[in-house]
């Protein structure tokens, strides 16, 4: 499908990709803590017939340099841009911290019809990087809403990597230790997905080395189903933190962090999730009961 690419109007760095014939479905595409603009992912979605807006949501001009007290209005304003461009159905697709943002945007903005959370968390965490004041500490919330910080879980500073200085670090244990230390005493940090009117699709790998996205996703599923709401969970036990969609380039290697999984497993997880993403974005309305409450794993579990 022929598409167009251009810079979006608005306060962000980013790109807007859309079919030449237009679309009444708009998707906001969010990266995680890399801070990049997900241009390739937006183009892949545009070739499927959707208008896709990929933005830089921190680290850009006028933005917090780190993921620290980022206004959720950053994302609701982008939803508004898609709506003004003619989108009648809105999806927000994010990975990792972008998935955290996608879920929170769906909770706070009833215009969101679909939230796709790749490698999600089930709660709000503290900042990653510096705030507008240039300081990393004390810990603050990653997000604000209407100028008020959301309740957040801090990281336990007593954690240390098992093999410091020996290559890329797996920090999953840091989040697991911090959740044990603080999570149960901070119920207000849980993302209230049960209140979102949007369809929910969670995609997670059991071998995620950045944080325990599959246990987090299972927490979200329990919360959602406990409220009688539908949810889809697509998982592979052997996949890591960075699922890849059909036609998407492999994730780049990192010298700093271990992400878990393998290129093959991450691609297979993205391939398994892809038809569900297309189905939800292209469906006529949220909460379709026939298939929307699904908990799926690849039959090739290792």
């Amino acid at each position: 499908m022929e598409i167009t690419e251009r810079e979006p109007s608005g306060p962000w760095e980013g790109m807007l990709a859309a079919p030449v014939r237009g679309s009444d479905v708009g998707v906001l595409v969010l990266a995680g803590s890399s801070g990049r603009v997900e241009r390739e992912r937006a183009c892949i979605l545009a070739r499927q017939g959707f208008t896709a807006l990929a933005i830089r949501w921190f680290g850009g001009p006028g933005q917090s340099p780190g993921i620290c007290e980022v206004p959720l209005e950053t994302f609701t304003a982008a939803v508004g841009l898609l709506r003004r461009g003619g989108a009648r159905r809105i999806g927000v697709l994010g990975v990792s911290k972008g998935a955290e943002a996608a879920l929170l945007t769906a909770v706070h903005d009833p215009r969101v019809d679909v939230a796709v959370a790749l490698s999600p968390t089930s709660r709000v965490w503290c900042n990653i990087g510096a705030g507008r004041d240039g300081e990393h500490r004390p810990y603050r919330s990653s997000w604000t809403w209407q100028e008020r910080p959301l309740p957040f879980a801090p990281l336990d500073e007593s954690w240390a990597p098992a093999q410091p200085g020996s290559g890329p670090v797996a920090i999953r244990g840091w989040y697991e230790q911090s959740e044990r230390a603080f999570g149960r005493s901070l119920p207000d940090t849980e993302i209230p997905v049960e209140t979102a009117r949007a369809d929910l699709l969670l995609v997670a790998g059991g071998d995620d080395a950045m944080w325990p996205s599959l246990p987090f996703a299972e927490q979200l599923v329990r919360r959602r189903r406990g409220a009688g709401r539908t949810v889809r969970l697509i998982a592979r036990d052997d996949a890591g933190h960075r699922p890849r969609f059909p036609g998407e380039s492999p994730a780049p290697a990192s010298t700093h962090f271990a992400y878990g999984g393998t290129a093959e497993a991450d691609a297979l997880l993205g391939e398994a999730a892809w038809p569900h993403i297309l189905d939800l974005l292209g469906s006529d309305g949220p909460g379709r009961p026939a298939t929307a409450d699904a908990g799926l794993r690849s039959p090739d579990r290792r």
Side-chain angles (χ1 to χ4, degrees):
M1 178 180 293
E2 187 177 358
I3 65 172
T4 62
E5 302 175 31
R6 63 179 175 85
E7 294 293 316
S9 61
W12 322 278
E13 292 182 22
M15 64 98 71
L16 187 71
V20 170
R21 60 175 174 76
S23 176
D24 62 358
V25 179
V27 187
L28 175 60
V29 185
L30 305 174
S33 57
S34 70
R36 65 176 170 266
V37 176
E38 292 279 16
R39 298 176 182 274
E40 183 183 34
R41 189 162 282 178
C43 288
I44 287 172
L45 287 161
R47 292 189 186 100
Q48 294 295 323
F50 310 122
T51 296
L53 172 62
I55 63 170
R56 186 183 309 282
W57 51 271
F58 74 95
Q63 296 177 331
S64 173
I67 306 175
C68 183
E69 297 186 335
V70 174
L72 292 179
E73 287 84 354
T74 305
F75 313 113
T76 61
V79 168
L81 177 66
L82 289 168
R83 288 289 294 267
R84 291 192 298 276
R88 294 185 296 174
R89 185 165 177 80
I90 298 291
V92 184
L93 184 152
V95 60
S96 189
K97 290 296 286 188
E100 192 176 331
L103 294 172
L104 288 166
T105 302
V107 166
H108 287 86
D109 191 339
R111 298 174 298 175
V112 176
D113 299 293
V114 180
V116 180
L118 312 176
S119 305
T121 173
S122 61
R123 65 178 68 251
V124 173
W125 288 95
C126 61
N127 59 298
I128 298 176
R132 291 178 182 272
D133 58 2
E135 299 296 330
H136 291 69
R137 300 289 188 278
Y139 280 130
R140 287 160 284 179
S141 183
S142 292
W143 319 104
T144 67
W145 175 246
Q146 297 177 346
E147 301 184 349
R148 300 185 64 178
L150 298 189
F152 68 94
L155 289 171
D156 187 343
E157 294 283 14
S158 69
W159 179 84
Q163 296 177 321
S166 60
V169 177
I171 62 172
R172 173 178 178 145
W174 198 0
Y175 284 93
E176 291 173 327
Q177 179 172 312
S178 300
E179 189 169 41
R180 290 192 298 270
F182 304 117
R184 293 181 182 177
S185 64
L186 295 172
D188 288 347
T189 68
E190 295 176 352
I191 300 173
V193 291
E194 63 276 10
T195 67
R197 65 167 290 275
D199 278 326
L200 212 63
L201 175 62
L202 311 173
V203 181
D207 194 43
D208 191 333
M210 285 293 287
W211 62 16
S213 60
L214 184 50
F216 284 156
E218 290 167 342
Q219 292 174 23
L220 292 168
V221 167
R222 289 192 294 271
R223 203 173 301 153
R224 183 82 169 173
R225 289 179 178 165
R229 307 299 297 274
T230 57
V231 61
R232 303 188 196 191
L233 170 59
I234 314 299
R236 280 188 68 97
D237 290 338
D238 57 352
H241 191 69
R242 301 186 292 179
R244 312 303 289 174
F245 297 142
E248 199 166 19
S249 302
S254 172
T255 58
H256 300 291
F257 296 109
Y259 292 99
T262 64
E264 178 188 13
D266 294 351
L268 288 171
L269 177 57
E271 181 181 344
W274 189 236
H276 294 271
I277 294 170
L278 300 183
D279 176 47
L280 288 176
L281 290 174
S283 64
D284 294 327
R288 294 168 61 192
T291 60
D293 193 11
L296 307 176
R297 290 177 184 261
S298 165
D300 182 21
R301 294 175 61 187
R302 301 176 186 173

